[in-house]
Amino acid sequence: MLKARVIPTILWKDFGIVKGVGFNSWRRVGSLLPAIKVYNTRQVDELIIVDITATEQNREPDYEVIDEIADECFVPLTVGGGVKTIDHIKKLLRAGADKVAINSACYETPELVSKGANLFGTQCIVASIDILRKSDGSYECYKDSGKIATGKDPVKWAKEMEQRGAGELLITSIKNDGAMVGYDIEIIRRVSDEVGVPVIASGGASNYADMYEALNSGHASAVAAASIFHFTEQTPLEAKRFLEGKGILVRRF
Amino acid sequence: MSVLIIDYGMCNLGSVKRAFEECGATAFISDNPRDAEIASHLVLPGVGAFGDAMRNITAAGWHSALRKYTLEYKVPLLGICLGMQLLAEKGFEGGEHTGLSLIEGEVMKIYNLESSNKFRVPHIGWNEIDKKKDHPLLAKLEPSTDFYFVHSYFFNARKSENILTTTHYGLDFPSIVSNGNIMGVQFHPEKSSRAGFQIIKNFLSIN
């Protein structure tokens, strides 16, 4: 049977790793390559690396660094941040990324997703969707690291991304991200129930029980987390032991 | 030992090469079928669509080279993911396409035999293999080992003698197939951590 995945997310700014709170304050927490090596030896299920400032600074992804990281990464690697064109996708895949996460560019040029899926296969196109829960309880998609409202309804947008060929959706709650208050289960479930591709829940995990909720109540196929792995004693391996105890199938280790 | 990783323009070959090197092999990437002459092992990787892949393989002269080196010279061949599916006779991804016809069977879309669960395609993530036969490729692997899969189509191998393992996702599909020196794995050994390395080492031990 297919296993639920626990995926550490690594936010990378320049050559350090940063960890965000509410999408706007960043703080260095170490250098990239040693982190990759550690996660490798810990047998993580998969890794997501996001260059959070690339779009903001109008930069392309740093292919050389990705190449270096990919050489040390023997689990699937998703790379995001600053991906705007087919050429960017091609270069990232060539550098060793297995999947490419596209976020802001999806709103500007949605055909990037369709073209990318046609050229490289749906399995390597991940649509990354940042969602803000507003005070009235409604939800809206935001782009540019959660700064700019897009007017898009998250469920409709998720379905459009799926139809255009995204093989996976990375759903991040902007308010919960880095705040360690648990995932936004409601929006994760709404999206998961409406699409036929796997959904990765992201943003807000504070403990293993939150991960269980995202999988069990949120119907996600995978959980991604950054803060809890970087700033607490909690580890992906322990997370999986906890989930297994709760009856969730995880990869044997 | 000299492992040739076949480049027909369909995927990132760097991770495959790195994984083989990590397992102690000398690996090189080539798009020239003549290089098969100096290879002890052949690897056919690949992601993408069946039809495009076959077009590229045929145009580059790999179609006939692969048949020659595997069928006449018995060089061990490992197909990975799409590379495994290409070993089939036919593929039905975006129309009907002829495959390499090295193992009998057809490639078709994954479907669900169980109505109870929500069924998501692509099949992405870690899933276990269920051993059907003993084979050197499966040496030193724990029962039900998990490997990393990413695919929407599966190789429906016709003969049970060619099916080494199956994996359950909606249906039981062949996850490792073999026909003598020709082998294929649906998952990505280069992305399956230690278990993947064991498969690669096992393949390298087959001469």
Side-chain angles (χ1 to χ4, degrees):
Chain A
M1 296 289 282
L2 185 63
K3 310 301 186 299
R5 288 167 282 157
V6 176
I7 310 175
T9 305
I10 297 172
L11 300 180
W12 152 45
K13 194 182 180 191
D14 303 324
F15 291 91
I17 298 171
V18 294
K19 195 279 319 173
V21 178
F23 270 40
N24 52 30
S25 75
W26 313 104
R27 146 180 168 212
R28 274 175 180 275
V29 291
S31 65
L32 200 48
L33 206 55
I36 303 288
K37 287 185 179 170
V38 168
Y39 279 134
N40 233 349
T41 57
R42 286 186 187 162
Q43 302 265 303
V44 297
D45 291 334
E46 196 167 329
L47 282 173
I48 298 176
I49 296 183
V50 185
D51 187 348
I52 40 151
T53 55
T55 294
E56 190 178 307
Q57 298 170 358
N58 205 16
R59 270 191 293 115
E60 281 188 39
D62 188 329
Y63 309 109
E64 277 175 30
V65 173
I66 294 302
D67 204 335
E68 215 172 300
I69 290 164
D71 273 358
E72 296 300 327
C73 187
F74 298 106
V75 295
L77 176 66
T78 300
V79 181
V83 180
K84 286 202 169 77
T85 67
I86 288 293
D87 189 50
H88 295 169
I89 300 175
K90 189 190 274 179
K91 284 181 182 161
L92 279 176
L93 295 175
R94 207 172 275 162
D98 297 290
K99 305 182 226 181
V100 173
I102 315 173
N103 192 328
S104 302
C106 294
Y107 302 98
E108 292 140 27
T109 44
E111 58 280 6
L112 179 61
V113 174
S114 348
K115 277 189 198 160
N118 277 339
L119 278 171
F120 310 111
T122 58
Q123 79 290 328
C124 62
I125 304 295
V126 179
S128 172
I129 308 178
D130 292 339
I131 301 170
L132 185 73
R133 184 192 174 98
K134 298 196 272 194
S135 44
D136 64 356
S138 67
Y139 289 95
E140 186 179 344
C141 300
Y142 274 64
K143 62 174 186 170
D144 289 357
S145 299
K147 288 196 188 70
I148 299 172
T150 65
K152 298 282 185 193
D153 169 72
V155 173
K156 284 187 195 150
W157 184 243
K159 289 172 87 164
E160 181 176 344
M161 289 295 98
E162 176 186 20
Q163 279 155 12
R164 286 188 177 272
E168 237 174 342
L169 303 177
L170 175 64
I171 302 296
T172 305
S173 153
I174 295 173
K175 270 195 184 153
N176 300 27
D177 193 62
M180 299 179 78
V181 292
Y183 295 96
D184 187 330
I185 302 299
E186 189 188 335
I187 193 63
I188 288 163
R189 182 176 53 232
R190 279 208 229 157
V191 172
S192 296
D193 288 354
E194 287 294 326
V195 298
V197 293
V199 166
I200 305 169
S202 161
S206 69
N207 55 42
Y208 306 144
D210 291 340
M211 296 181 170
Y212 173 71
E213 277 302 302
L215 298 165
N216 188 55
S217 311
H219 305 159
S221 298
V223 285
S227 301
I228 102 163
F229 298 139
H230 297 322
F231 291 109
T232 76
E233 298 296 305
Q234 300 176 93
T235 65
L237 185 65
E238 275 179 20
K240 288 199 279 181
R241 289 203 178 113
F242 177 90
L243 294 171
E244 192 174 41
K246 288 274 199 178
I248 301 270
L249 289 171
V250 293
R251 173 187 166 209
R252 305 239 165 98
F253 32 80
Chain B
M1 199 177 308
S2 165
V3 180
L4 193 169
I5 298 160
I6 300 170
D7 180 5
Y8 55 100
M10 292 293 283
C11 83
N12 155 44
L13 306 166
S15 3
V16 177
K17 181 168 182 273
R18 273 289 295 132
F20 272 84
E21 286 168 352
E22 198 74 10
C23 293
T26 304
F28 68 105
I29 295 170
S30 172
D31 58 5
N32 186 349
R34 283 188 202 149
D35 288 338
E37 194 63 39
I38 52 165
S40 63
H41 293 75
L42 296 168
V43 178
L44 185 64
V47 293
F50 194 101
D52 293 341
M54 280 311 297
R55 249 191 312 280
N56 291 358
I57 281 178
T58 308
W62 277 110
H63 194 154
S64 48
L66 276 169
R67 293 189 65 85
K68 175 172 138 190
Y69 285 97
T70 57
L71 298 176
E72 288 172 35
Y73 301 143
K74 304 287 178 198
V75 177
L77 167 70
L78 182 67
I80 296 174
C81 197
L82 175 64
M84 173 244 213
Q85 298 179 354
L86 297 174
L87 304 175
E89 295 160 300
K90 268 183 201 171
F92 292 96
E93 185 173 359
E96 187 179 323
H97 308 278
T98 305
L100 294 167
S101 305
L102 293 168
I103 298 182
E104 287 179 39
E106 295 172 343
V107 175
M108 47 217 288
K109 185 116 186 172
I110 299 174
Y111 56 92
N112 194 5
L113 292 175
E114 303 142 6
S115 52
S116 55
N117 270 335
K118 174 131 189 175
F119 190 69
R120 298 180 192 274
V121 175
H123 171 221
I124 300 184
W126 297 80
N127 203 339
E128 65 214 47
I129 55 169
D130 183 8
K131 196 201 255 191
K132 297 294 170 194
K133 292 168 79 99
D134 278 318
H135 192 277
L137 197 58
L138 306 177
K140 295 182 195 162
L141 283 176
E142 299 285 320
S144 310
T145 303
D146 286 319
F147 290 92
Y148 192 82
F149 290 85
V150 190
H151 61 125
S152 302
Y153 287 77
F154 75 101
F155 186 170
N156 192 14
R158 191 168 303 122
K159 292 182 174 167
S160 61
E161 65 195 66
N162 293 138
I163 301 171
L164 300 186
T165 69
T166 60
T167 292
H168 187 76
Y169 190 65
L171 72 163
D172 289 313
F173 67 86
S175 41
I176 307 183
V177 292
S178 82
N179 179 17
N181 55 310
I182 297 160
M183 291 154 268
V185 293
Q186 179 60 67
F187 49 83
H188 287 271
E190 77 280 14
K191 290 288 162 184
S192 294
S193 205
R194 274 178 229 165
F197 290 159
Q198 189 60 53
I199 289 274
I200 292 173
K201 286 175 190 163
N202 291 344
F203 172 66
L204 293 169
S205 73
I206 297 169
N207 288 305

